[in-house]
Amino acid sequence: MTTLNTEQQRAVDTTEGPVLIIAGAGAGKTGVITHRILNLIKKGVPPQSILAITFTNKAAKEMRERVNKLLSEEKSLNRPISMNERPFMSTFHSLGVHIIRENAQILGLTRHFTIFDRSDSRRAIKEAMEQCSIDPKKVEPGTVLNMISRAKGDGHTRLEYLDAAKDFMQETVANVWEKYDSILSKEKSLDFDDLLAKTAQLLEKYSAIRAHYQKIWKYIHIDEYQDTNKVQYRIAKYLTDENICVVGDADQNIYSWRGATIENILNFEKDYPLATVITLEKNYRSTKTILAAANNVIEKNMMRKKKTLYTDNDHGEKISLILSYTENDEARAIADTARSLIEKGTSPKEIAVLYRANFQSRALEDAFIKKNIPYQLVGVRFFERKEVKDVLSYIKAALNRESAGDIARIINVPVRGIGKVTVAKVLSGREDLLPAGMQIKIKQFWKLLDDIKKEIEEKRPSEAVKFVIQEAGLEQALHSGDSEDEERLLNIRELVSVAAQYDEIRGSTSEVQPHTAGIEAFLSNAALATDQDELSENRDAVRLMTVHASKGLEFEHVFIAGLEQDLFPFKRMSEDDINQMEEEEERRLFYVAITRAKKKVYFSYTILRTIYGTQRVSIPSEFIDDISKELIEDQAPPEKPSGAKALFIDF
C-alpha cells in the first residue's frame, strides 16, 4: 500500500485511546495496522511497547514481514531497530504460550510443557472416559471434547460447568473433564483452550503479572476482533483499558460454532465509551459486480454495523451459474471451467473452489484428478502427518519426560520390540519388573532422549531435528521402504527446512538456553498451525477448501459449489429449521465466499445430490435470489448427466 485513502489515514493517525476500525472485505486493513504501528514508532513509541494480535500464523507472519519492511525503508528513523526491539506480533494462542512459559511454575508447569493437539486431546478424553466407565461407542469422545472446549472458550471452569449442568450428558461431560484435566496435569501439558484460559487466569488472579504485561505493552492492536471469544475478550481487557485498537467486521463473523462472540465487536462502544469509530468501505480487491452482489446479500442481516462496500475497479464480468444433474456432474463442470481458465492464461493458484461441508471435496478431487488439473486440498495438515508427529514427539518427550502421550507414541518407533504391556509398565514407573533384556532397551531409549535434549540445548533447531531423524533411526527405517515411505522420508526432511526458520531465535532470559528458544517457537507454531498455514505460495495449483478455511484469502476466480437449500445455507439434520442467528451467520459465510474473488464468481448447484447415502432433489439456495438478476448471467441448461441412461426422481 503506497498511499492511504482518507479513512485509512485517519485510522493510522488516531493513535491514542480506544479505536474501533470497521474494515470491510478487501479494504486494506493489514496495511492500515502495519502503517499505524510504523506511525507509533515514528512518534517515539518504543517498538517493544506495541502488541499486535491476529488469528493465524500466516496472518501474523505477513504482518511481521510488512512491519519489518516498513521499518527498514523508513528514512526518518535515525537509529537501527534490533530484533529485540521489534513489536510483539503473534496469534492469541502464541501470546498465551509466551505468557504461560514466563509464568509456568505458578501453574505447576515447566517452560517445556507439551501442547496437546486435537488427536492428543481425543486420546486423553478416551482415557478419561474409561476411568469414568463410559463406553466410547455409546458416547462419542469428539462430542465430549467439543463440549469441554466450548465451555473453556466461554470462560467456564469445570466446577461452574458442573453446577450449571442441566442434564445427564452435561454431568457426564463434567466428570470426564475432571479426569481429563488430571491427565493434562500429570503429563505437564495444556490443550489449545487452556492456552487462552490459563492466560486469562494468570492475568486475572495475579495483579503483579497483569501489571507486568500492562507495563510492557502500552499500545495493543487486535485484528479480526469479530472472531474473538469470551476468554480472548477478557485477555484483551486485562492487558489494557486505554490504547486499544481493534479491527474487524461483524459481517465476517463466521466462527460462532467455536465460541466467537459477535457481541464483542458490536458492543465495543459500550465497553469503551470514548472510542473513536472509523469505517473502511473502499474495497481494493474486487469488481463492482462482485461487491454489488456481496452488498445485496449482507444488507438483509440485522446484527451488523451498517456499511456499503464500493470500489474504483471496473464493473467486471457478471456472475456465472453452473447447473448440473449430480455432484459428480457438478465437479466435472467446475473442473472443465477451471481447465479453460488455465488454458487462457489464468494461474491455477488464482482459482479457488469453495464449499460449505468437507464431504463435498471427494467428487471435486476425483474430477480434478481425472482432468489432470493440479490442485491442493486445504485441510490436510503437514504437522498432522504420522511421520512428522513422530519427530515432534521425540523432541517434546526429550524436553518433557512427563509427556506420556509422546513417550507412548515413539518408544517403539521405529520398531524396537517394545510392546504395549512393556509401555504400560514404563509409564507407570515399574521398569524394574521388566526382563533384563527389555530393561536394556528401555535404558537405551532414555539415553536417546537425553542425547536429543543435549542436542536441542547446544545446536540450532534445524540441526536438532536432523539429529532426531538420524539417531532415532527414522531415516534408516524409511529409506528402504516403498513409494509411500519415500514420501514420508521427504516429509520429515522437509521438517528440517521448517525448523531452519527458527535457527536465529535466541532466548532473552538467563533461564532459557540460547537455542532452546528457537525450538520452543518451532514446537509452538507446529502445534498451533491452521489450514491456511499449509498453503504453499510456490505451488501453482487450484485450491479446494471450505468457505471457513478461505477467510482472509483472495483469488481471481472463485467457484462456490453446492449452492442448494439446506446445504448452503446449511441446516443440520436434527433441526426442522434454522434460527435467526444461524441464518445470519450462514449469510455472513456466503458474503465471505463472494468477497474472496477479485475478477469473477461462479455459483454452482445440482438437481440431485447424494448426502449420507441418500439421493435427494435439490432446491437452489435462497442466497441466489438475494442477488439482483442484472448481476447474474443467463443460466445455461445442464449438460447430460455422465454415465446416466435415465433419470428417475421419486417425489
Side-chain angles (χ1 to χ4, degrees):
M1 183 183 294
T2 54
T3 59
L4 301 172
N5 65 41
T6 303
E7 288 304 292
Q8 288 174 331
Q9 190 64 56
R10 184 173 165 233
V12 168
D13 291 339
T14 309
T15 56
E16 304 303 311
V19 179
L20 167 62
I21 301 173
I22 301 170
K29 66 182 177 66
T30 303
V32 168
I33 296 171
T34 53
H35 275 80
R36 193 175 191 274
I37 291 172
L38 172 65
N39 190 34
L40 284 166
I41 295 171
K42 286 170 65 177
K43 285 184 173 183
V45 174
Q48 61 271 29
S49 295
I50 300 170
L51 172 67
I53 311 170
T54 187
F55 271 78
T56 66
N57 290 338
K58 183 177 183 292
K61 181 174 181 286
E62 180 186 357
M63 192 178 293
R64 278 193 294 270
E65 289 173 348
R66 289 173 73 164
V67 167
N68 290 342
K69 187 172 186 293
L70 287 172
L71 291 175
S72 65
E73 293 175 349
E74 182 53 52
K75 294 181 173 57
S76 66
L77 295 174
N78 296 322
R79 59 189 178 85
I81 296 175
S82 72
M83 288 304 294
N84 291 332
E85 293 177 300
R86 298 284 174 176
F88 192 105
M89 293 171 278
S90 78
T91 64
F92 260 109
H93 287 87
S94 294
L95 173 68
V97 171
H98 174 79
I99 291 174
I100 291 168
R101 279 216 173 103
E102 292 192 336
N103 301 278
Q105 288 185 327
I106 294 174
L107 296 172
L109 298 167
T110 68
R111 280 192 62 89
H112 304 307
F113 66 88
T114 297
I115 302 172
F116 271 20
D117 64 16
R118 183 76 179 179
S119 62
D120 294 326
S121 291
R122 281 183 65 91
R123 183 261 309 170
I125 285 289
K126 288 180 73 172
E127 185 179 332
M129 290 173 67
E130 289 170 5
Q131 292 178 19
C132 294
S133 301
I134 299 170
D135 187 352
K137 294 179 181 178
K138 294 181 178 179
V139 180
E140 169 57 39
T143 300
V144 176
L145 178 57
N146 287 339
M147 292 174 73
I148 294 173
S149 175
R150 183 60 182 267
K152 287 182 177 181
D154 286 341
H156 299 308
T157 64
R158 189 194 70 82
L159 290 176
E160 289 170 345
Y161 185 84
L162 179 60
D163 288 342
K166 296 177 181 177
D167 53 38
F168 175 75
M169 182 61 182
Q170 290 182 349
E171 290 177 0
T172 299
V173 169
N175 292 332
V176 173
W177 187 347
E178 181 179 20
K179 301 297 184 185
Y180 174 60
D181 273 356
S182 295
I183 294 169
L184 284 164
S185 178
K186 181 181 177 183
E187 297 190 22
K188 295 289 190 290
S189 302
L190 298 177
D191 65 17
F192 285 167
D193 302 295
D194 289 331
L195 298 178
L196 301 178
K198 298 296 185 184
T199 299
Q201 177 186 325
L202 285 168
L203 295 172
E204 181 178 30
K205 191 174 180 180
Y206 301 96
S207 58
I209 293 176
R210 184 167 64 251
H212 170 72
Y213 292 108
Q214 287 176 346
K215 185 177 179 182
I216 293 175
W217 295 313
K218 297 293 188 182
Y219 292 84
I220 294 178
H221 303 74
I222 302 176
D223 192 13
E224 305 287 8
Y225 192 66
Q226 78 280 349
D227 291 333
T228 53
N229 63 20
K230 292 179 180 178
V231 174
Q232 289 162 333
Y233 169 84
R234 282 166 52 199
I235 291 171
K237 287 287 286 183
Y238 293 143
L239 289 175
T240 184
D241 264 329
E242 297 179 9
N243 298 319
I244 180 171
C245 172
V246 305
V247 186
D249 179 7
D251 292 338
Q252 297 186 68
N253 169 264
I254 59 173
Y255 294 113
S256 68
W257 51 275
R258 68 182 189 197
T261 307
I262 195 171
E263 286 82 3
N264 289 351
I265 192 166
L266 295 179
N267 294 336
F268 186 83
E269 293 158 271
K270 292 180 182 177
D271 292 335
Y272 303 92
L274 300 178
T276 300
V277 181
I278 301 166
T279 304
L280 307 181
E281 296 175 290
K282 184 173 183 179
N283 177 285
Y284 292 86
R285 174 189 301 156
S286 307
T287 65
K288 285 184 172 70
T289 296
I290 291 168
L291 295 187
N295 287 329
N296 283 169
V297 169
I298 205 62
E299 65 188 12
K300 280 195 165 188
N301 276 7
M302 303 299 293
M303 292 181 289
R304 65 188 296 257
K305 289 183 177 291
K306 189 174 180 181
K307 69 177 185 311
T308 302
L309 296 179
Y310 70 94
T311 185
D312 292 338
N313 295 337
D314 294 337
H315 281 280
E317 298 182 56
K318 289 185 177 183
I319 296 167
S320 291
L321 285 179
I322 300 174
L323 171 61
S324 307
Y325 280 100
T326 69
E327 63 269 21
N328 292 325
D329 299 317
E330 174 188 51
R332 180 166 55 87
I334 290 174
D336 284 340
T337 308
R339 172 170 287 288
S340 177
L341 289 169
I342 294 168
E343 288 173 349
K344 291 176 182 177
T346 300
S347 170
K349 68 180 179 182
E350 285 294 345
I351 302 171
V353 184
L354 310 183
Y355 38 85
R356 178 62 181 84
N358 275 305
F359 76 83
Q360 294 173 255
S361 69
R362 182 202 57 78
L364 290 163
E365 279 198 271
D366 285 348
F368 275 78
I369 289 170
K370 287 175 182 175
K371 302 287 182 181
N372 198 28
I373 301 171
Y375 75 91
Q376 181 180 15
L377 182 65
V378 180
V380 182
R381 299 184 188 176
F382 176 76
F383 291 111
E384 289 182 357
R385 291 178 169 89
K386 179 190 178 300
E387 61 275 14
V388 172
K389 290 190 71 171
D390 288 343
V391 176
L392 296 176
S393 283
Y394 268 105
I395 296 171
K396 291 188 287 183
L399 292 172
N400 176 14
R401 289 291 185 89
E402 304 301 323
S403 186
D406 288 310
I407 291 170
R409 180 184 185 92
I410 45 96
I411 197 169
N412 197 42
V413 177
V415 176
R416 299 184 176 91
I418 301 174
K420 291 183 178 180
V421 174
T422 299
V423 174
K425 288 181 180 179
V426 170
L427 295 178
S428 62
R430 294 180 292 159
E431 286 180 40
D432 56 317
L433 300 179
L434 296 171
M438 187 59 69
Q439 287 190 37
I440 292 173
K441 289 184 180 180
I442 300 303
K443 285 179 181 177
Q444 289 173 339
F445 173 73
W446 293 132
K447 171 68 165 53
L448 173 61
L449 292 187
D450 287 337
D451 292 343
I452 292 171
K453 184 177 182 182
K454 184 179 179 184
E455 194 76 9
I456 290 169
E457 292 173 346
E458 296 179 356
K459 301 287 181 65
R460 296 182 176 191
S462 60
E463 295 170 314
V465 172
K466 192 181 296 183
F467 180 86
V468 170
I469 293 169
Q470 294 171 347
E471 296 302 313
L474 297 171
E475 186 173 50
Q476 184 178 355
L478 295 172
H479 207 277
S480 55
D482 55 19
S483 59
E484 288 187 3
D485 280 346
E486 185 177 342
E487 184 177 344
R488 294 186 183 104
L489 182 58
L490 291 173
N491 285 336
I492 62 174
R493 285 176 174 169
E494 174 64 17
L495 197 58
V496 177
S497 300
V498 176
Q501 299 172 26
Y502 304 87
D503 280 351
E504 301 308 318
I505 295 177
R506 295 290 183 271
S508 57
T509 63
S510 58
E511 64 181 283
V512 185
Q513 295 282 349
H515 295 294
T516 305
I519 210 77
E520 285 177 351
F522 166 66
L523 290 175
S524 295
N525 286 341
L528 302 176
T530 64
D531 290 346
Q532 286 192 8
D533 295 318
E534 302 305 311
L535 276 174
S536 171
E537 297 299 326
N538 298 323
R539 186 174 174 189
D540 199 12
V542 177
R543 316 304 201 197
L544 309 182
M545 68 184 86
T546 64
V547 182
H548 284 100
S550 74
K551 177 82 179 305
L553 303 176
E554 58 182 46
F555 308 91
E556 289 181 4
H557 297 264
V558 170
F559 294 83
I560 306 175
L563 266 178
E564 297 139 29
Q565 206 64 16
D566 297 344
L567 179 56
F568 201 1
F570 185 78
K571 187 186 82 173
R572 289 168 180 79
M573 294 179 68
S574 59
E575 298 176 347
D576 293 330
D577 206 351
I578 60 176
N579 60 39
Q580 182 187 348
M581 289 189 68
E582 292 170 332
E583 181 182 342
E584 292 207 1
E585 180 148 346
E586 288 296 306
R587 191 171 283 110
R588 291 194 294 268
L589 193 58
F590 185 49
Y591 172 83
V592 166
I594 293 172
T595 55
R596 297 312 93 202
K598 293 186 279 188
K599 288 186 176 180
K600 186 172 174 65
V601 178
Y602 305 77
F603 293 164
S604 176
Y605 61 99
T606 66
I607 295 172
L608 297 172
R609 186 174 296 274
T610 302
I611 297 180
Y612 301 119
T614 302
Q615 192 175 65
R616 68 184 190 189
V617 178
S618 301
I619 300 172
S621 171
E622 65 187 74
F623 292 155
I624 298 175
D625 293 330
D626 289 341
I627 297 172
S628 174
K629 295 295 180 284
E630 65 189 31
L631 302 175
I632 302 176
E633 291 176 346
D634 292 335
Q635 179 178 298
E639 295 181 13
K640 181 181 177 181
S642 56
K645 294 181 180 178
L647 185 64
F648 297 97
I649 301 176
D650 183 6
F651 291 99

